[in-house]
Amino acid sequence: MTSALRIVNGRIYDPAHGVDGAVRDLCISGGRIVADVPPDARRIDARGMVVMPGGVDIHCHIAGPKVNLARKVQPEDHRHDVHLRTRVTRSGTGGTVPSTFTTGYRYAALGYTAAMEAAVTPLGARHTLEEFHDTPVIDKGFYVLMGNNVLMYRLLQEGRHEEFRQTLAWWMSATKAYAPKLVNPGGDEFWKGQRNSNVTGLDQQIAGFDLTPRKVIAAFIEAGNELGLPHPVHIHCNNLGHTGNYQTTLDTMRIAEGRRAHITHIQFHSYGSVAGKSGDNPTSKAHEISEYVNTHPNISADVGAVMFGRSTSMTADAPLAYMLRRFGGGKWVNADTEHESGCGIVPFTYQDRNYTNALQWAIGLELFLLSDDPWRMVFSTDHPNGGSFMSYPRLIRLLMDSEFRKEQMAKVNQQALEHSGLRDCASREYSLSEIAIITRAGPARLLGLTGKGHLGVGADADVTIYEEDADKEKMFSTPRCVIKDGEPVIEDHEFRAEHEGRVFHVAPDYDPGIEQVIEPFFEDYYTIRFANYPVADRYIPHPQTVPTAPQAAEAGAVPAT
Ligand SMILES: [Zn+2]
């Protein structure tokens, strides 16, 4: 049990409760926000400072087999960026793909207290959870790759919808995942079956199956909604990075037909073309994409902004990695995980003078600046794909400071700016409250994490205190104080304590009879026996099982608003 704390004199930003910079006390006891604490409780004076809930990253790549492959392929990054140990923290390495310990410390040092790993093969669940155990301070969870799963395809093709839903529930439970993830659905069968081949449209027949990406996406959206998962199906659309792909993105969002769906790193899916030809340079279709999201409250998205400099593309979209590796001409990795998913890793550098890179940068900013509802268009760089999470403070400054944005715009490829609408949104500046929404309150709400992203009584006491500064990059780079579960982990910009975060997962109910459908497939095709496949409870020392809607209703919980 942590001791009681009273934070005084700070300006509070708690958009979930309409608190927009009011100076008031914030009380903490037993790891939670409380209404009051005894007068002798320890005080933290936050005069001249901004108090926000801890940051919540809805989409990043921080743990598991593909992340580790990306570390192994870039040993030079480790040498150039050594993270020294301190009295309370352990050593590690940085670069675009930091080691486990460094990942936890550096997220915390930016004021983040939760991050969701966005793409794990079911077979990679154990590895991911083992790395989570080594990733300190922050809470974590992962999305499990289901969109190219051969058994799921077979059930869907045979019209066995109830078994499809049961199998999804089983897989989520067996791997201790948080949400189902679709990546380029249908693409893996082409990639595996024909040289350098990929799916190109939602209505194309998937190689070897009487199915289309459209049917696969619709089935997962339906099943995810029926199961009442706290976060809906998390979709990386087809045709990522291709000129003209915005039509595919619009069509994918239309498939949801009013049901909840989350479109991830939507910047990479917002490209048009000058003459309507796929061979042309891309142009920005941020306006069309924003308009659709703005007017469809069932859809949420994270931006996946691009920041200039080093990045590492790591994706379950293996054909995309093949395409990207042509640009850099350096090291790359491609891999496949049994019947579950593909994977590709490509170290990459975004350059401000490069037309396509500058356009991607501009589209990311446009999507933020055109958004009418910050609760549904939330913050991400798809770390480390569009840029490292270490670039978040700079991205915040680009959103909050139009003069700074103009200076940066002057340095990039001007032809790319001509083909974007960024100059048309020059005057908008995000407020601190809007930043609090896109970086914490919004992601927490989209994830269904009712204890995160706000400072109401009963919330987890994850609190970040920033010193106010006109330079927003500086302000968000080094919080003065970070409190995790009620414990001051960082004070006066220094780590004062180690902390082990929780792992969020779901355990949707399923009919145990479904195992008789799944087991024969394992015995026929998998390298691992069925009985050895589900992840045991001991892999998560600090679990938090987040209920599905039916489970919450049964427990009499008040639904999240
Ligand atoms: Zn991603």
Side-chain angles (χ1 to χ4, degrees), residues 256-270:
E257 288 183 332
R259 293 167 299 197
R260 285 184 74 200
H262 183 87
I263 308 294
T264 189
H265 40 65
I266 199 163
Q267 176 277 128
F268 288 108
H269 304 272
S270 301

Side-chain angles (χ1 to χ4, degrees), residues 62-145:
I62 54 172
K66 75 171 185 318
V67 175
N68 217 32
L69 258 179
R71 292 184 187 117
K72 285 196 277 193
V73 83
Q74 301 176 91
E76 63 278 10
D77 264 22
H78 311 167
R79 194 153 50 91
H80 293 145
D81 188 1
V82 175
H83 188 93
L84 296 175
R85 76 185 175 97
T86 69
R87 188 176 54 78
V88 291
T89 60
R90 294 172 60 154
S91 63
T93 57
T96 56
V97 193
S99 61
T100 49
F101 282 94
T102 302
T103 295
Y105 298 138
R106 289 191 177 178
Y107 258 111
L110 288 179
Y112 272 75
T113 51
M116 304 301 277
E117 158 58 55
V120 173
T121 56
L123 271 169
R126 273 192 187 82
H127 181 156
T128 304
L129 291 167
E130 283 170 339
E131 288 200 14
F132 277 177
H133 189 50
D134 268 3
T135 306
V137 187
I138 57 174
D139 298 330
K140 297 136 299 222
F142 72 85
Y143 310 150
V144 68
L145 291 158

